Amino acid sequence: MQVTASAHRVHLFSPLSSPALSLPSAKHCRCRNRNAAATTVRMGLREDGPSVAVVGVTGAVGQEFLRVLSDRDFPYRNIRLLASRRSAGKRLTFEDREYTIEELRPESFEGIDIALFSAGGSISKEFGPVAVERGSIVVDNSSAFRMVPEVPLVIPEVNPEAMAHIKLKGRSGKGALIANPNCSTIICLMAATPLHRHAKVVRMVVSTYQAASGAGAAAMEELLQQTHEVLDGKQPTCKIFKQQYAFNLFSHNAAVLSNGYNEEEIKLVKETRKIWNDMDVKVTATCIRVPVMRAHAESVNLQFEKPLDEDTARCILEGAAGVAVIDDRESNHFPTPLDVSNKDDVAVGRIRQDLSQDGNLGLDIFVCGDQIRKGAALNAIQIAEKLL
């Protein structure tokens, strides 16, 4: 099916989103479909809810924070919208109420119970500890604190126990930091973890196909602009990635380290080990930017300690919260970024035995997830829900 640039634009800017994929169960799975969406809290604006701050509200993830808060009727007593000085004073409507965006300052966190951060690592390092000192629980979407040993790195469907000791202030709790994993890690582990629990992954090889959304709203706009320019025979504007993105793909733009891996790939390695609490699991990754507007895709090869056949794996994934199986071999229909854009669930398909390994000790899967939603904003708000 041919997809136009305007179709991609709908997925990027549409304020509407579906809470989960609506899909038939896999034809090859004989077990009962136990897949259920992660528990949501349906309360909305109420006096006994927590006070919430959104840091970086004008960015792509900041805007998605607001959509997810509304979609899930997250309970809040009041909400404070924070951004840089250049955005301060602008008006923004959220749930039929008009708010003034405030400049981010240390005093912004007075009286705030939960602070959702997505304003970059330097801002998080500067203001995250300030918010904690004032009693806020910070859920941070940057890489600033992910590998700090005492900071929980959490995917609620995977390791909610990592944050079990943290409580909201006023409930015998105090300020704290919780880190949101990298988007590629979240999308990968949503599918790999249920299989890991069953047969223990000893080695994982991941190749990512990452959308413009991972680099923010400016990169998404530039991809759209470049697409028009190339189709019109013009030289493409290359400000964000310094090379043509439209109709092209290239190694992820993160800094390349001395060992040849880039920082994005190393995040996937280190974060997987921390989340699984397994320093021995072997992980290698190759991360690529592809000209997709929104939602990442990943090819994942898994090697197990114990045998796991593909039918059992399919049944396990059918029963995993937050996972939707799209695995129709007859019609050659498997997950795509368009399937999962603006959706909560991570989709998995191409579930098959690894022919290079004997004894059902290997599987290949293909995973797609919305980077802005489950890969960022939704995961953070699911963490906040666990605090209630």
Side-chain angles (χ1 to χ4, degrees), residues 87-113:
S87 296
K90 294 180 180 178
R91 306 290 287 178
L92 190 152
T93 299
F94 173 61
E95 295 198 327
D96 300 322
R97 292 175 177 84
E98 194 172 69
Y99 295 85
T100 299
I101 297 174
E102 303 174 32
E103 181 182 353
L104 177 62
R105 300 174 183 271
E107 55 268 28
S108 300
F109 302 101
E110 294 294 343
I112 294 297
D113 298 308

mmCIF file of all heavy atoms in Angstrom, residues 87-113:
data_model
loop_
_atom_site.group_PDB
_atom_site.id
_atom_site.type_symbol
_atom_site.label_atom_id
_atom_site.label_comp_id
_atom_site.label_asym_id
_atom_site.label_seq_id
_atom_site.Cartn_x
_atom_site.Cartn_y
_atom_site.Cartn_z
ATOM 1 N N SER A 87 9.379 30.294 25.832
ATOM 2 C CA SER A 87 7.996 29.824 25.746
ATOM 3 C C SER A 87 7.119 30.349 26.875
ATOM 4 O O SER A 87 5.889 30.218 26.811
ATOM 5 C CB SER A 87 7.960 28.292 25.755
ATOM 6 O OG SER A 87 8.600 27.758 24.611
ATOM 7 N N ALA A 88 7.757 30.909 27.903
ATOM 8 C CA ALA A 88 6.989 31.383 29.057
ATOM 9 C C ALA A 88 6.006 32.470 28.633
ATOM 10 O O ALA A 88 6.306 33.330 27.806
ATOM 11 C CB ALA A 88 7.937 31.915 30.127
ATOM 12 N N GLY A 89 4.811 32.434 29.191
ATOM 13 C CA GLY A 89 3.776 33.417 28.882
ATOM 14 C C GLY A 89 2.820 32.979 27.799
ATOM 15 O O GLY A 89 1.745 33.576 27.658
ATOM 16 N N LYS A 90 3.179 31.966 27.035
ATOM 17 C CA LYS A 90 2.266 31.462 26.008
ATOM 18 C C LYS A 90 1.100 30.739 26.681
ATOM 19 O O LYS A 90 1.232 30.208 27.778
ATOM 20 C CB LYS A 90 2.993 30.517 25.044
ATOM 21 C CG LYS A 90 4.058 31.202 24.198
ATOM 22 C CD LYS A 90 4.742 30.211 23.276
ATOM 23 C CE LYS A 90 5.802 30.897 22.428
ATOM 24 N NZ LYS A 90 6.527 29.942 21.550
ATOM 25 N N ARG A 91 -0.034 30.748 25.996
ATOM 26 C CA ARG A 91 -1.236 30.113 26.534
ATOM 27 C C ARG A 91 -1.423 28.739 25.888
ATOM 28 O O ARG A 91 -1.155 28.546 24.700
ATOM 29 C CB ARG A 91 -2.459 30.980 26.261
ATOM 30 C CG ARG A 91 -2.345 32.406 26.747
ATOM 31 C CD ARG A 91 -2.358 32.526 28.255
ATOM 32 N NE ARG A 91 -3.687 32.277 28.811
ATOM 33 C CZ ARG A 91 -3.945 32.281 30.111
ATOM 34 N NH1 ARG A 91 -2.971 32.478 30.993
ATOM 35 N NH2 ARG A 91 -5.182 32.080 30.540
ATOM 36 N N LEU A 92 -1.893 27.794 26.680
ATOM 37 C CA LEU A 92 -2.101 26.437 26.194
ATOM 38 C C LEU A 92 -3.375 25.888 26.818
ATOM 39 O O LEU A 92 -3.598 26.013 28.026
ATOM 40 C CB LEU A 92 -0.889 25.566 26.569
ATOM 41 C CG LEU A 92 -0.783 24.174 25.955
ATOM 42 C CD1 LEU A 92 0.682 23.763 25.848
ATOM 43 C CD2 LEU A 92 -1.546 23.135 26.770
ATOM 44 N N THR A 93 -4.212 25.282 26.011
ATOM 45 C CA THR A 93 -5.464 24.701 26.494
ATOM 46 C C THR A 93 -5.284 23.209 26.731
ATOM 47 O O THR A 93 -4.801 22.475 25.868
ATOM 48 C CB THR A 93 -6.601 24.926 25.481
ATOM 49 O OG1 THR A 93 -6.795 26.334 25.297
ATOM 50 C CG2 THR A 93 -7.903 24.317 25.991
ATOM 51 N N PHE A 94 -5.657 22.795 27.932
ATOM 52 C CA PHE A 94 -5.587 21.385 28.303
ATOM 53 C C PHE A 94 -6.883 21.015 29.003
ATOM 54 O O PHE A 94 -7.273 21.628 30.002
ATOM 55 C CB PHE A 94 -4.388 21.129 29.225
ATOM 56 C CG PHE A 94 -4.330 19.731 29.786
ATOM 57 C CD1 PHE A 94 -4.217 18.636 28.937
ATOM 58 C CD2 PHE A 94 -4.387 19.504 31.156
ATOM 59 C CE1 PHE A 94 -4.167 17.345 29.443
ATOM 60 C CE2 PHE A 94 -4.334 18.219 31.673
ATOM 61 C CZ PHE A 94 -4.221 17.134 30.811
ATOM 62 N N GLU A 95 -7.581 20.021 28.469
ATOM 63 C CA GLU A 95 -8.859 19.566 29.006
ATOM 64 C C GLU A 95 -9.821 20.725 29.255
ATOM 65 O O GLU A 95 -10.374 20.892 30.349
ATOM 66 C CB GLU A 95 -8.635 18.731 30.274
ATOM 67 C CG GLU A 95 -7.888 17.439 30.001
ATOM 68 C CD GLU A 95 -8.029 16.403 31.100
ATOM 69 O OE1 GLU A 95 -8.131 16.808 32.277
ATOM 70 O OE2 GLU A 95 -8.035 15.203 30.793
ATOM 71 N N ASP A 96 -9.961 21.558 28.239
ATOM 72 C CA ASP A 96 -10.926 22.665 28.229
ATOM 73 C C ASP A 96 -10.593 23.770 29.225
ATOM 74 O O ASP A 96 -11.431 24.637 29.502
ATOM 75 C CB ASP A 96 -12.353 22.166 28.491
ATOM 76 C CG ASP A 96 -12.813 21.167 27.434
ATOM 77 O OD1 ASP A 96 -12.466 21.373 26.262
ATOM 78 O OD2 ASP A 96 -13.504 20.194 27.795
ATOM 79 N N ARG A 97 -9.369 23.769 29.743
ATOM 80 C CA ARG A 97 -8.932 24.851 30.621
ATOM 81 C C ARG A 97 -7.700 25.491 30.016
ATOM 82 O O ARG A 97 -6.852 24.802 29.461
ATOM 83 C CB ARG A 97 -8.618 24.333 32.027
ATOM 84 C CG ARG A 97 -9.840 23.846 32.782
ATOM 85 C CD ARG A 97 -9.453 23.225 34.120
ATOM 86 N NE ARG A 97 -10.635 22.835 34.866
ATOM 87 C CZ ARG A 97 -11.287 21.688 34.704
ATOM 88 N NH1 ARG A 97 -10.873 20.823 33.776
ATOM 89 N NH2 ARG A 97 -12.347 21.403 35.431
ATOM 90 N N GLU A 98 -7.611 26.792 30.146
ATOM 91 C CA GLU A 98 -6.470 27.514 29.583
ATOM 92 C C GLU A 98 -5.417 27.737 30.657
ATOM 93 O O GLU A 98 -5.716 28.166 31.771
ATOM 94 C CB GLU A 98 -6.918 28.854 28.990
ATOM 95 C CG GLU A 98 -5.847 29.488 28.095
ATOM 96 C CD GLU A 98 -6.365 30.706 27.361
ATOM 97 O OE1 GLU A 98 -6.601 31.710 28.054
ATOM 98 O OE2 GLU A 98 -6.527 30.643 26.123
ATOM 99 N N TYR A 99 -4.167 27.422 30.300
ATOM 100 C CA TYR A 99 -3.045 27.566 31.220
ATOM 101 C C TYR A 99 -1.994 28.483 30.598
ATOM 102 O O TYR A 99 -1.852 28.542 29.365
ATOM 103 C CB TYR A 99 -2.398 26.214 31.515
ATOM 104 C CG TYR A 99 -3.297 25.245 32.243
ATOM 105 C CD1 TYR A 99 -4.198 24.439 31.541
ATOM 106 C CD2 TYR A 99 -3.242 25.121 33.624
ATOM 107 C CE1 TYR A 99 -5.019 23.539 32.207
ATOM 108 C CE2 TYR A 99 -4.060 24.219 34.307
ATOM 109 C CZ TYR A 99 -4.944 23.428 33.587
ATOM 110 O OH TYR A 99 -5.765 22.544 34.248
ATOM 111 N N THR A 100 -1.242 29.153 31.448
ATOM 112 C CA THR A 100 -0.099 29.936 31.004
ATOM 113 C C THR A 100 1.162 29.130 31.247
ATOM 114 O O THR A 100 1.401 28.642 32.363
ATOM 115 C CB THR A 100 -0.008 31.264 31.777
ATOM 116 O OG1 THR A 100 -1.201 32.023 31.537
ATOM 117 C CG2 THR A 100 1.199 32.077 31.325
ATOM 118 N N ILE A 101 1.959 28.953 30.207
ATOM 119 C CA ILE A 101 3.232 28.240 30.358
ATOM 120 C C ILE A 101 4.175 29.095 31.202
ATOM 121 O O ILE A 101 4.347 30.284 30.948
ATOM 122 C CB ILE A 101 3.853 27.934 28.987
ATOM 123 C CG1 ILE A 101 2.924 26.999 28.190
ATOM 124 C CG2 ILE A 101 5.235 27.312 29.140
ATOM 125 C CD1 ILE A 101 3.370 26.754 26.765
ATOM 126 N N GLU A 102 4.776 28.485 32.204
ATOM 127 C CA GLU A 102 5.657 29.192 33.116
ATOM 128 C C GLU A 102 7.117 28.870 32.806
ATOM 129 O O GLU A 102 7.443 27.768 32.351
ATOM 130 C CB GLU A 102 5.355 28.798 34.563
ATOM 131 C CG GLU A 102 3.920 29.045 34.995
ATOM 132 C CD GLU A 102 3.635 28.515 36.376
ATOM 133 O OE1 GLU A 102 4.562 28.525 37.218
ATOM 134 O OE2 GLU A 102 2.497 28.065 36.619
ATOM 135 N N GLU A 103 7.998 29.821 33.072
ATOM 136 C CA GLU A 103 9.421 29.579 32.922
ATOM 137 C C GLU A 103 9.893 28.628 34.013
ATOM 138 O O GLU A 103 9.538 28.774 35.184
ATOM 139 C CB GLU A 103 10.209 30.885 33.000
ATOM 140 C CG GLU A 103 11.716 30.682 32.823
ATOM 141 C CD GLU A 103 12.502 31.977 32.944
ATOM 142 O OE1 GLU A 103 11.871 33.050 33.035
ATOM 143 O OE2 GLU A 103 13.746 31.901 32.967
ATOM 144 N N LEU A 104 10.695 27.656 33.622
ATOM 145 C CA LEU A 104 11.229 26.688 34.569
ATOM 146 C C LEU A 104 12.201 27.362 35.528
ATOM 147 O O LEU A 104 13.207 27.949 35.118
ATOM 148 C CB LEU A 104 11.930 25.563 33.804
ATOM 149 C CG LEU A 104 12.629 24.488 34.634
ATOM 150 C CD1 LEU A 104 11.609 23.745 35.520
ATOM 151 C CD2 LEU A 104 13.368 23.518 33.729
ATOM 152 N N ARG A 105 11.895 27.296 36.818
ATOM 153 C CA ARG A 105 12.733 27.874 37.870
ATOM 154 C C ARG A 105 12.763 26.899 39.047
ATOM 155 O O ARG A 105 11.912 26.008 39.157
ATOM 156 C CB ARG A 105 12.145 29.207 38.359
ATOM 157 C CG ARG A 105 12.003 30.300 37.307
ATOM 158 C CD ARG A 105 11.280 31.514 37.894
ATOM 159 N NE ARG A 105 11.050 32.560 36.913
ATOM 160 C CZ ARG A 105 11.925 33.531 36.660
ATOM 161 N NH1 ARG A 105 13.080 33.568 37.317
ATOM 162 N NH2 ARG A 105 11.642 34.455 35.766
ATOM 163 N N PRO A 106 13.727 27.055 39.965
ATOM 164 C CA PRO A 106 13.751 26.178 41.142
ATOM 165 C C PRO A 106 12.444 26.197 41.923
ATOM 166 O O PRO A 106 11.970 25.155 42.391
ATOM 167 C CB PRO A 106 14.915 26.736 41.965
ATOM 168 C CG PRO A 106 15.831 27.347 40.948
ATOM 169 C CD PRO A 106 14.927 27.916 39.904
ATOM 170 N N GLU A 107 11.847 27.378 42.041
ATOM 171 C CA GLU A 107 10.617 27.486 42.822
ATOM 172 C C GLU A 107 9.402 26.875 42.100
ATOM 173 O O GLU A 107 8.311 26.787 42.684
ATOM 174 C CB GLU A 107 10.326 28.945 43.179
ATOM 175 C CG GLU A 107 10.271 29.893 42.005
ATOM 176 C CD GLU A 107 11.620 30.549 41.699
ATOM 177 O OE1 GLU A 107 12.667 29.926 42.000
ATOM 178 O OE2 GLU A 107 11.603 31.667 41.149
ATOM 179 N N SER A 108 9.590 26.469 40.847
ATOM 180 C CA SER A 108 8.480 25.863 40.104
ATOM 181 C C SER A 108 7.967 24.588 40.762
ATOM 182 O O SER A 108 6.837 24.160 40.498
ATOM 183 C CB SER A 108 8.912 25.537 38.674
ATOM 184 O OG SER A 108 9.321 26.700 37.972
ATOM 185 N N PHE A 109 8.769 23.973 41.606
ATOM 186 C CA PHE A 109 8.417 22.664 42.157
ATOM 187 C C PHE A 109 7.843 22.730 43.571
ATOM 188 O O PHE A 109 7.579 21.683 44.169
ATOM 189 C CB PHE A 109 9.641 21.744 42.108
ATOM 190 C CG PHE A 109 10.171 21.574 40.709
ATOM 191 C CD1 PHE A 109 11.279 22.285 40.274
ATOM 192 C CD2 PHE A 109 9.529 20.745 39.807
ATOM 193 C CE1 PHE A 109 11.750 22.153 38.980
ATOM 194 C CE2 PHE A 109 9.986 20.606 38.508
ATOM 195 C CZ PHE A 109 11.098 21.320 38.094
ATOM 196 N N GLU A 110 7.650 23.935 44.075
ATOM 197 C CA GLU A 110 7.015 24.055 45.380
ATOM 198 C C GLU A 110 5.583 23.516 45.302
ATOM 199 O O GLU A 110 4.794 23.937 44.468
ATOM 200 C CB GLU A 110 6.993 25.520 45.838
ATOM 201 C CG GLU A 110 8.369 26.116 46.101
ATOM 202 C CD GLU A 110 9.080 25.473 47.283
ATOM 203 O OE1 GLU A 110 8.394 24.796 48.090
ATOM 204 O OE2 GLU A 110 10.312 25.640 47.397
ATOM 205 N N GLY A 111 5.277 22.563 46.171
ATOM 206 C CA GLY A 111 3.939 21.985 46.204
ATOM 207 C C GLY A 111 3.652 20.959 45.130
ATOM 208 O O GLY A 111 2.529 20.476 45.019
ATOM 209 N N ILE A 112 4.657 20.590 44.331
ATOM 210 C CA ILE A 112 4.468 19.616 43.258
ATOM 211 C C ILE A 112 4.749 18.210 43.767
ATOM 212 O O ILE A 112 5.794 17.945 44.362
ATOM 213 C CB ILE A 112 5.380 19.940 42.056
ATOM 214 C CG1 ILE A 112 4.974 21.262 41.406
ATOM 215 C CG2 ILE A 112 5.345 18.803 41.033
ATOM 216 C CD1 ILE A 112 3.584 21.273 40.800
ATOM 217 N N ASP A 113 3.810 17.305 43.534
ATOM 218 C CA ASP A 113 3.972 15.911 43.940
ATOM 219 C C ASP A 113 4.728 15.090 42.897
ATOM 220 O O ASP A 113 5.623 14.326 43.239
ATOM 221 C CB ASP A 113 2.598 15.269 44.183
ATOM 222 C CG ASP A 113 1.831 15.940 45.302
ATOM 223 O OD1 ASP A 113 2.401 16.084 46.401
ATOM 224 O OD2 ASP A 113 0.673 16.330 45.074
#
